[in-house]
Amino acid sequence: GDSVTQMEGPVTLSEEACLTINCTYTATGYPSLFWYVQYPGEGLQLLLKATKADDKGSNKGFEATYRKETTSFHLEKGSVQVSDSAVYFCALTGFQKLVFGTGTRLLVSP
Amino acid sequence: EAGVVQSPRYKIIEKKQPVAFWCNPISGHNTLYWYLQNLGQGPELLIRYENEEAVDDSQLPKDRFSAERLKGVDSTLKIQPAELGDSAVYLCASSFGGGDEQYFGPGTRLTVT
């Protein structure tokens, strides 16, 4: 079945460092791909999405490109802030339901 | 615009007791989802409603879990009886027309002792 694999965390960075969180997927068909973020004590929020190959999703300085050839959707940010500390989930849509990865915790220190 | 509302936010019960969670989706969203999120894991779908109809409940453990969505708006998820392994966060989400973008509530954290 459809699945998503994310790099394990925690990822610990200093403020203004570059971020990459790896995500690869297995799916039949052509799913849409998503990154969700979960701040402490809050529900999941959609961060960005891409619906077809080579699409780039972007929001709040985060970017991810839908790479069909490598079945990947890596999350990147050029300069992280303390406020970016959260858990990030990669997900895809399969048969009208979201399939999530296990999440990657990001910790950013001042 | 109000987001997805869930209550209670936290619940502690003893095993074998019943428990219920309530969800109010975003106004106008006809698709409603219940997810289970275990510690350190991503959410997993329990059930999906299109209006009043449960169109995907294949992952709902029907021996102890039940859900309803009367009138196609609010929804209730029930566990009876609860087991220790049910300790988790129960998330509700909604979308318009089953679209790609789902909006999540804050979740209910259940602890079964």
Side-chain angles (χ1 to χ4, degrees), chain A residues 14-30:
Chain A
S14 297
E15 203 165 27
E16 299 184 0
C18 295
L19 169 71
T20 299
I21 300 178
N22 291 335
C23 171
T24 58
Y25 67 90
T26 301
T28 54
Y30 303 96

Side-chain angles (χ1 to χ4, degrees), chain B residues 6-28:
Chain B
Q6 291 188 247
S7 69
R9 291 293 310 275
Y10 305 90
K11 188 74 175 179
I12 302 173
I13 61 170
E14 294 183 347
K15 63 181 180 182
K16 301 184 181 180
Q17 295 301 305
V19 64
F21 314 124
W22 174 80
C23 173
N24 180 244
I26 291 174
S27 178

Side-chain angles (χ1 to χ4, degrees), chain B:
Chain B
E1 177 182 280
V4 177
V5 179
Q6 291 188 247
S7 69
R9 291 293 310 275
Y10 305 90
K11 188 74 175 179
I12 302 173
I13 61 170
E14 294 183 347
K15 63 181 180 182
K16 301 184 181 180
Q17 295 301 305
V19 64
F21 314 124
W22 174 80
C23 173
N24 180 244
I26 291 174
S27 178
H29 282 193
N30 60 319
T31 306
L32 184 145
Y33 313 78
W34 283 102
Y35 287 88
L36 167 68
Q37 186 178 15
N38 286 306
L39 186 65
Q41 300 295 315
E44 298 175 1
L45 181 70
L46 288 172
I47 189 168
R48 174 170 66 95
Y49 282 93
E50 298 286 348
N51 300 304
E52 302 90 352
E53 183 181 1
V55 297
D56 183 356
D57 63 356
S58 57
Q59 301 303 309
L60 189 72
K62 298 181 183 64
D63 57 336
R64 297 184 300 106
F65 286 66
S66 65
E68 61 182 13
R69 192 183 184 199
L70 302 176
K71 301 181 182 179
V73 181
D74 296 1
S75 178
T76 302
L77 178 68
K78 298 179 182 178
I79 308 175
Q80 182 170 8
E83 297 179 352
L84 294 176
D86 297 331
S87 296
V89 176
Y90 293 82
L91 295 167
C92 180
S94 68
S95 69
F96 178 71
D100 276 354
E101 295 192 23
Q102 296 183 24
Y103 296 83
F104 285 79
T108 296
R109 181 177 296 278
L110 174 67
T111 302
V112 182
T113 63

